[in-house]
Amino acid sequence: MSLTCLPVGDMALTVVFEQKIAENINRRVVEMASRLAKRPVKGVVEIVPAYASLTIYYDPLIISYQEMVERLHELDHMSGEYEEKQRIVTFPALYGGEQGPDLNDVADHHGLTPQQVIDLHTSALYRVYMLGFSPGFPYLGGLPRQLSTPRLDTPRLHIPAGAIGIAGSQTGIYSIDSPGGWRIIAHTPVPLFRLDEDPPFLLRVGDLVRFMPVTDEEYQEIVQQVNHGTYQPQIVDHTGKEVNGS
Amino acid sequence: MVQDNRLFEVIKPGLFTTVQDLGRIGYQQYGMVVSGAMDPFALRMGNLLVGNDENDAALEITMVGPVLKTCRDCLIAVTGADLGLRLDGHPIPTWKSVWVRQGAVLSFAGARQGCRAYLAVRGGIDVPPVMGSRSTYVKAGIGGYNGRPLRSGDVLEVGIRGLSERPRDDFLPFANRRLPPEMIPRYGTPVHVRVILGPQHDMFTMDSLEAFLREPYLVTPQSDRMGYRLKGARLTHTGPAEIISDSVACGSIQVPAGGNPILLLADRQPTGGYPKIATVISVDLSLVAQAKPGDHICFHAVSLEESHRLLRQREQTIQMVKTANRLVTG
């Protein structure tokens, strides 16, 4: 399969994969990004994986566009060595009530009970397709079809960091306090963005995410731990081994 | 004794004055905004004029400048827009390094040309770096001076290289240096800006593509560091006005369904879901940064080869100033 590369101005190019939101396509994006990370090309400034594309920012004073494209073709033709080292990150979540003001509306919209919405939302394993919107905000694919719900007609002015929302066929977690139109069904106390860590972002593209329902008491206990800096996010690697932090 | 690092006391903050360097590089993959100086050329030149590294932090001053009282002897250079720079009430030139005495007051009488000025100081403005950068990203409250624009009463500190025991001896060799006039950009309207078409120019009708490269576009008041909303010939998509979100560069021009282009700049989100008709070439981003609401922008297509030739030319100019710096320091 040949690669399609397009210039984005004079200092970036985008490798365009098949334009659809699908796991196998996003895996190719992550694969290309990880090959580039493993075999750094001189002149590459930064790389930005998205749903179905990988954008490479380069310094044209160090590497020409043509050379950059050739390097990418070489990387694409290397085969067999890649294994996606996925991590699974579990987020404890308190559903409904003040922390999930749209849970009942989402349930009504689909003729489900709030508990059925919770069961469906926590049953799935989601993939981080892209980070964006705000620093560290994960666009999560894999929402059970029955939960797909349009955005709010009028976005809220203030959504707290940690709010878990649904927009169309996607679900996501607000990483900082911000305005937003996603339907908020739950809240997690686990911070996605911590300035005292390097990198300060909990998630990366290609990670898997799952939500675990907690009671009000468990939620409060985790809030305490987070505030005291003693909370360790639950992260396991692709072999099932526990890994913490990044 | 605690070392006195004080540099400026902010008497009046101006319209929107922030600390900026060349931006937060390497974190777009996490959804982090790049930020940094809107006019990187002016920032780099200001820094080089006072003998700094190009990436040192300076003040980005927008339209209405601040009033600053100096807390120490220092070497400054103001580049970019001409906002009417004054030292103790008297006009002094921009694009020139100037020795300023402790207790002197810097102010700005009003915008004459351009939109954004840069106040570089020997040693740089010292604020804690966040993800390797001192740039302010106001929307998330990250970086710069407490993550926000300056306010009256703020006290800015100078970086370590501005803390000489004998500032006169150490910094005076860098005073009264100016750029040759042909290196100083002129800002006016309409602004002629070169672009590389794409990556999604094929999602627009041929008529729209021609109109985009022919008609002037007005910079509307809904314009800031994130991007400029432009108004002019409306652009028509051949199909849906959306793409699967991908990365947008500084200078990318995205066009939502309404047909009015948005020129994305320093504080843009790293990804976006609207088709991009073109991207402004990096050497012309400085001209865009100096356009203000009410000005017009005309876009002209160039090849990638041409943009890289222009970039090399620009870097040679900067290299000359760097070489001069090495001669001063010996």
Side-chain angles (χ1 to χ4, degrees):
Chain A
M1 219 185 301
S2 90
L3 278 188
T4 308
C5 297
L6 298 171
V8 188
D10 58 343
M11 298 188 128
L13 67 85
T14 294
V15 184
V16 183
F17 298 94
E18 193 185 341
Q19 287 302 290
K20 61 180 191 187
I21 298 177
E23 191 182 334
N24 64 324
I25 305 290
N26 192 244
R27 279 180 78 98
R28 284 198 69 197
V29 175
V30 174
E31 177 175 355
M32 184 65 117
S34 97
R35 282 182 178 176
L36 201 48
K38 221 180 268 173
R39 289 186 166 65
V41 172
K42 206 164 171 252
V44 170
V45 177
E46 69 176 307
I47 57 173
V48 187
Y51 284 103
S53 65
L54 179 68
T55 299
I56 291 132
Y57 290 79
Y58 66 99
D59 182 350
L61 301 171
I62 297 176
I63 186 166
S64 74
Y65 178 82
Q66 275 316 324
E67 286 172 307
M68 194 66 238
V69 170
E70 281 163 27
R71 289 295 93 74
L72 291 169
H73 274 105
E74 286 165 22
L75 286 176
D76 190 47
H77 285 125
M78 298 182 339
S79 55
E81 63 168 89
Y82 179 73
E83 180 194 358
E84 195 170 27
K85 292 202 174 57
Q86 271 179 319
R87 309 183 306 165
I88 302 172
V89 185
T90 303
F91 288 91
L94 181 61
Y95 285 82
E98 271 175 42
Q99 307 294 349
D102 299 325
L103 177 66
N104 291 337
D105 286 349
V106 170
D108 289 349
H109 186 88
H110 299 288
L112 299 168
T113 65
Q115 189 56 50
Q116 285 172 313
V117 172
I118 298 171
D119 291 345
L120 280 164
H121 195 255
T122 53
S123 69
L125 195 54
Y126 303 95
R127 180 183 175 89
V128 179
Y129 277 90
M130 189 176 84
L131 294 157
F133 172 65
S134 63
F137 181 105
Y139 288 93
L140 301 173
L143 185 73
R145 206 171 291 250
Q146 305 97 298
L147 292 183
S148 177
T149 319
R151 286 173 166 82
L152 294 172
D153 289 336
T154 311
R156 287 190 176 90
L157 291 175
H158 180 85
I159 293 178
I164 298 164
I166 290 175
S169 59
Q170 301 181 98
T171 186
I173 312 168
Y174 281 80
S175 55
I176 58 172
D177 295 359
S178 60
W182 292 39
R183 291 185 193 261
I184 307 303
I185 60 168
H187 186 269
T188 180
V190 180
L192 293 172
F193 178 40
R194 303 150 301 169
L195 272 178
D196 51 345
E197 303 271 335
D198 184 35
F201 305 96
L202 180 60
L203 295 174
R204 50 189 188 228
V205 175
D207 279 347
L208 299 178
V209 163
R210 98 164 98 232
F211 297 103
M212 182 179 71
V214 293
T215 65
D216 205 12
E217 278 148 21
E218 290 166 324
Y219 173 87
Q220 293 303 339
E221 195 175 311
I222 298 168
V223 169
Q224 292 295 325
Q225 289 175 13
V226 169
N227 289 342
H228 290 118
T230 55
Y231 183 78
Q232 289 288 340
Q234 294 175 50
I235 305 174
V236 296
D237 69 10
H238 62 295
T239 62
K241 203 173 75 200
E242 212 164 303
V243 286
N244 265 316
S246 38
Chain B
M1 206 183 96
V2 181
Q3 191 162 34
D4 181 7
N5 300 357
R6 289 176 309 145
L7 172 65
F8 294 136
E9 186 191 335
V10 180
I11 309 293
K12 283 188 193 168
L15 180 66
F16 189 82
T17 306
T18 56
V19 177
Q20 300 292 343
D21 56 19
L22 289 174
R24 211 157 262 121
I25 312 296
Y27 297 91
Q28 289 190 82
Q29 59 180 301
Y30 300 107
M32 185 66 215
V33 168
V34 177
S35 301
M38 287 278 278
D39 181 344
F41 178 74
L43 174 80
R44 294 168 75 190
M45 279 304 184
N47 273 327
L48 291 176
L49 282 171
V50 296
N52 283 352
D53 289 340
E54 297 167 70
N55 189 29
D56 279 344
L59 293 181
E60 181 177 279
I61 297 164
T62 318
M63 298 295 292
V64 180
V67 178
L68 305 168
K69 190 174 173 194
T70 55
C71 308
R72 67 191 318 114
D73 291 353
C74 56
L75 186 68
I76 66 152
V78 174
T79 56
D82 180 357
L83 303 183
L85 174 64
R86 297 280 186 280
L87 176 61
D88 288 330
H90 302 292
I92 56 167
T94 52
W95 300 92
K96 182 184 176 185
S97 59
V98 180
W99 179 252
V100 176
R101 287 294 197 173
Q102 181 178 355
V105 173
L106 291 167
S107 61
F108 295 83
R112 292 188 194 143
Q113 207 194 94
C115 183
R116 293 177 172 86
Y118 293 83
L119 169 53
V121 181
R122 174 69 181 201
I125 309 275
D126 192 26
V127 291
V130 177
M131 288 173 254
S133 166
R134 295 184 164 84
S135 289
T136 318
Y137 176 44
V138 172
K139 282 215 174 82
I142 289 169
Y145 190 93
N146 294 332
R148 59 165 172 79
L150 298 187
R151 291 180 195 152
S152 300
D154 289 349
V155 175
L156 296 166
E157 298 190 339
V158 72
I160 188 119
R161 288 170 61 211
L163 289 175
S164 166
E165 302 254 307
R166 301 181 315 274
R168 252 194 113 75
D169 298 345
D170 290 348
F171 304 158
L172 265 187
F174 283 96
N176 301 315
R177 301 169 77 227
R178 58 169 83 222
L179 287 188
E182 67 272 16
M183 279 193 199
I184 299 175
R186 296 193 59 79
Y187 314 123
T189 181
V191 188
H192 291 276
V193 159
R194 290 158 291 194
V195 298
I196 288 166
L197 289 178
Q200 286 98 25
H201 59 293
D202 54 356
M203 291 179 72
F204 296 87
T205 63
M206 201 46 93
D207 284 352
S208 286
L209 209 51
E210 281 170 17
F212 172 72
L213 295 172
R214 185 183 62 232
E215 303 287 331
Y217 280 85
L218 174 74
V219 179
T220 69
Q222 287 78 48
S223 296
D224 56 19
R225 284 180 45 85
M226 190 172 165
Y228 292 176
R229 286 179 181 270
L230 305 177
K231 223 170 166 176
R234 282 194 182 221
L235 305 173
T236 311
H237 305 78
T238 52
E242 53 186 292
I243 56 168
I244 295 175
S245 289
D246 66 6
S247 181
V248 293
C250 193
S252 282
I253 301 163
Q254 64 176 21
V255 187
N260 290 318
I262 303 171
L263 173 42
L264 296 163
L265 294 164
D267 281 355
R268 74 201 176 280
Q269 287 169 13
T271 52
Y274 299 118
K276 295 173 283 295
I277 192 167
T279 301
V280 175
I281 67 172
S282 47
V283 296
D284 284 351
L285 283 173
S286 291
L287 298 176
V288 171
Q290 298 299 349
K292 47 191 185 303
D295 288 352
H296 283 85
I297 302 181
C298 299
F299 298 105
H300 307 276
V302 293
S303 66
L304 197 53
E305 293 72 23
E306 175 68 358
S307 72
H308 287 162
R309 191 186 66 77
L310 291 163
L311 182 69
R312 280 193 295 275
Q313 214 171 50
R314 161 68 55 92
E315 293 306 314
Q316 275 164 10
T317 306
I318 290 170
Q319 204 53 50
M320 274 166 56
V321 181
K322 279 194 195 170
T323 309
N325 273 4
R326 279 198 291 274
L327 291 176
V328 174
T329 48

